[in-house]
Amino acid sequence: MGTIMMPQPVKAVIGVLTTDSCLLPTVYAGLEQRLGRIDFTSELMPFTSTTYYEAEMGPNIERQFISFERLIDAGSLAEMKLFTNAVEQTFALKKLDGEARRVNLDAGYVCLAKLVLASTKDHAHRIYLRDGIYAEITLRFYRKTFQPWEWSYPDYRLPEYIAIFNQIREIYKDQLEDAEIV
């Protein structure tokens, strides 16, 4: 029988897509009320890996990644995704044929070994958590850098994104060392 051990806390991250960057300060203020102070914000980058979101959000979508100073329990990922979905709905535009998100929030976390993202869609490489939320190991940390899997989203394979997650991992690693958790 194995000995049950509690995992280390993890670093909450959110990948943000928007065509209206003026919304971000208000969105981020709402996220901070729930998740704590933002301690990392990437540059806004053009999102050109797919046109999947253009029908809903329009052209000229930009991507930004943020992370939060307060470490969280990895088991709270489903709760975090449900919260970010509610935030998306708060900023959605009402249309005759439904709603159009003005901000898309990819909830996830970084730990020393991986980047995990939450999803509302099932697939062969996703594990069901609860309340319609699944978890996916999107990147693994291997040979001193994050590496994609065959199922990793095309944009998460980009060197610029990998560099961002390596940077967030270093912040996280420093936090663990400061708290003497490593």
Side-chain angles (χ1 to χ4, degrees):
M1 174 173 68
T3 303
I4 295 174
M5 296 173 54
M6 295 307 295
Q8 294 178 324
V10 297
K11 187 160 198 65
V13 296
I14 296 179
V16 181
L17 292 175
T18 190
T19 57
D20 189 355
S21 61
C22 295
L23 288 175
L24 295 181
T26 306
V27 171
Y28 292 174
L31 294 172
E32 284 184 310
Q33 286 180 5
R34 178 76 166 260
L35 298 169
R37 190 177 74 80
I38 294 171
D39 67 354
F40 175 85
T41 307
S42 75
E43 297 295 320
L44 276 168
M45 302 167 279
F47 180 74
T48 57
S49 295
T50 179
T51 58
Y52 179 82
Y53 297 100
E54 284 187 11
E56 178 182 15
M57 300 180 83
N60 303 316
I61 299 172
E62 294 182 291
R63 163 78 83 187
Q64 187 168 58
F65 291 100
I66 59 175
S67 70
F68 298 85
E69 182 178 66
R70 184 174 65 220
L71 302 182
I72 63 169
D73 180 341
S76 67
L77 181 59
E79 181 181 330
M80 182 177 160
K81 179 64 175 171
L82 293 168
F83 168 68
T84 59
N85 280 2
V87 172
E88 289 177 358
Q89 291 301 308
T90 301
F91 292 93
L93 294 175
K94 312 291 185 221
K95 293 187 169 186
L96 292 177
D97 58 347
E99 293 184 341
R101 290 179 293 179
R102 294 190 296 163
V103 63
N104 177 310
L105 304 173
D106 294 337
Y109 66 79
V110 165
C111 65
L112 294 176
K114 58 194 168 281
L115 165 69
V116 176
L117 292 178
S119 178
T120 58
K121 300 172 204 74
D122 190 12
H123 208 288
H125 60 280
R126 295 187 178 146
I127 304 295
Y128 183 71
L129 299 175
R130 68 176 180 90
D131 298 326
I133 306 298
Y134 299 82
E136 167 187 297
I137 301 173
T138 302
L139 301 173
R140 66 181 172 146
F141 194 80
Y142 179 68
R143 295 188 177 176
K144 300 183 181 181
T145 189
F146 280 104
Q147 304 280 340
W149 298 95
E150 63 191 65
W151 57 77
S152 299
Y153 297 110
D155 55 327
Y156 280 81
R157 297 170 172 269
L158 295 172
E160 305 89 75
Y161 286 26
I162 299 290
I164 288 167
F165 291 115
N166 284 332
Q167 189 174 355
I168 292 171
R169 183 183 181 274
E170 282 302 311
I171 295 167
Y172 170 66
K173 188 176 171 187
D174 289 345
Q175 287 178 284
L176 292 178
E177 288 172 359
D178 289 347
E180 297 179 12
I181 297 175
V182 177

